[in-house]
Amino acid sequence: MRLTRRTLATVTAIAACAIASPLTTTAEAHSPAPHGHTVSTAFTLPGERVYPEGIAADPRTGDVYVGSNVTGAVYRAGHGQSAAEVFLPAGTDGRNTANGLRVDRAGRLWVIDSTKGVTVYDLRSRARIARFDVTGDAPSFVNDLTVTPDGTAYLTDSLRAVVYRVTPDRTARGGTGALTAWADLRDRISSDSYTLNGIASGADGRHLYVVDMSGGDLYRIGTADAAVHQVALRGTDLTNGDGLELRGHTLWAAKNLDNTITRWHLNGAGTSARLERAVTDPALQVPTTLTHDRGQLLVVRSQFDKGGPLGEGTPEEPFTVASVDGI
């Protein structure tokens, strides 16, 4: 996640809203639910100034992994636990940020370092399996990823406006390699700032959905041919769109600076999406990414606007991951 200068006014508005409406971040408290939703704390994260961003759930165990945007540490919360523990310490493998995470079907954890690339770990041993790095001199910001059922990983680059692809055979060989640009969206992106962000794939692996956070658009990409189509959005746009979560024909999106989670219905072809529900609440604390874990929607509360990458101030500690009902 990174944001353009034009969003700074929104940060100010969020701060003002937070002053008017006290946040609920303790494990026992819940935010008011005037619109039929509830925001509560699922679990806490250890340490100071964590500023979490990425999240991934292991469907086999119910464990949830969260990455720190400022240290590169990765935390693990066991199913039902109210407090996470350190899984990979800050600075592991020279990583200073962990902004995109995913657990694949083979029991491997993918961790993005926005400045370098992505590292793959074995969840049992915590050993590094493989690493793939960005090459070239052009500015780059590797942001988020998804893994399709066949084990292929797709990663967004917010500055180059491309999607990288890592095929299963490359991961199986281990070692190190280069991230290879696979889909190029530069001709569709008008902004020269941070663009492509969240990415999600369908259960059949045939299509990817990628959000352009600056333009507010959503794109569908075919995995067979890298063909790109803009999805028609009905109800609002996805400006400030960050993490995506897709289940069947339902797509959830975090809109970070808006403190909003939106739920969309995709048509059968995936060519249009209709807004079904939007929850806006300062208790979301600048939500970046989200995932489902055994029936609950978990949302990362980044607090980036409180002494993090989006503004000065003092964050509320401990940092937390929220559980959001009603969306």
Side-chain angles (χ1 to χ4, degrees):
M1 170 190 170
R2 282 295 187 275
L3 302 157
T4 59
R5 291 185 179 90
R6 67 186 177 87
T7 59
L8 293 180
T10 311
V11 173
T12 304
I14 290 175
C17 184
I19 293 172
S21 302
L23 300 180
T24 55
T25 59
T26 65
E28 297 79 18
H30 292 66
S31 71
H35 305 295
H37 72 274
T38 301
V39 180
S40 58
T41 294
F43 56 85
T44 61
L45 300 168
E48 299 177 350
R49 302 183 66 80
V50 172
Y51 295 108
E53 182 167 5
I55 189 169
D58 185 346
R60 304 167 309 160
T61 64
D63 291 346
V64 178
Y65 298 84
V66 180
S68 168
N69 181 69
V70 298
T71 71
V74 175
Y75 309 92
R76 178 176 64 187
H79 180 64
Q81 292 182 347
S82 60
E85 61 184 9
V86 175
F87 181 75
L88 296 173
T92 298
D93 292 314
R95 183 177 53 253
N96 295 317
T97 183
N99 55 294
L101 279 72
R102 189 71 58 174
V103 175
D104 65 21
R105 292 187 174 186
R108 300 172 299 195
L109 176 67
W110 296 67
V111 182
I112 287 179
D113 177 341
S114 61
T115 65
K116 297 177 181 178
V118 64
T119 307
V120 188
Y121 296 92
D122 180 89
L123 282 177
R124 289 187 177 180
S125 66
R126 310 189 193 193
R128 190 178 90 174
I129 296 172
R131 177 166 178 153
F132 303 94
D133 295 319
V134 173
T135 59
D137 297 328
S140 172
F141 190 92
V142 188
N143 204 326
D144 204 356
L145 79 156
T146 188
V147 182
T148 52
D150 68 352
T152 302
Y154 299 87
L155 306 90
T156 57
D157 192 314
S158 298
L159 288 179
R160 297 186 182 182
V162 300
V163 176
Y164 303 111
R165 181 175 69 171
V166 179
T167 53
D169 60 302
R170 298 184 66 199
T171 309
R173 291 197 299 268
T176 61
L179 284 176
T180 304
W182 167 76
D184 192 333
L185 284 79
R186 286 175 295 180
D187 62 340
R188 295 175 175 268
I189 303 294
S190 58
S191 173
D192 60 357
S193 187
Y194 294 90
T195 57
L196 302 185
N197 197 330
I199 183 170
S201 54
D204 60 7
R206 295 176 55 198
H207 297 104
L208 312 173
Y209 294 89
V210 183
V211 64
D212 170 13
M213 67 181 302
S214 294
D217 298 317
L218 182 69
Y219 295 95
R220 188 197 70 179
I221 307 176
T223 54
D225 55 8
V228 179
H229 299 278
Q230 185 171 343
V231 177
L233 299 178
R234 311 189 188 283
T236 187
D237 62 25
L238 283 171
T239 301
N240 296 330
D242 205 323
L244 300 179
E245 169 82 340
L246 178 63
R247 292 200 166 194
H249 293 289
T250 303
L251 179 74
W252 290 264
K255 299 180 69 174
N256 46 46
L257 283 180
D258 302 329
N259 271 335
T260 296
I261 304 296
T262 55
R263 187 185 75 220
W264 304 77
H265 178 75
L266 291 165
N267 68 353
T271 55
S272 69
R274 182 184 76 254
L275 180 68
E276 290 187 324
R277 179 108 165 90
V279 166
T280 300
D281 195 322
L284 293 170
Q285 297 180 302
V286 189
T288 51
T289 46
L290 65 174
T291 190
H292 279 91
D293 178 50
R294 305 195 177 189
Q296 66 175 335
L297 180 65
L298 301 177
V299 180
V300 174
R301 289 161 151 168
S302 74
Q303 295 196 71
F304 281 176
D305 60 332
K306 293 183 174 63
L310 296 181
E312 298 178 355
T314 302
E316 295 190 16
E317 294 179 349
F319 284 85
T320 63
V321 170
S323 175
V324 182
D325 294 324
I327 184 65

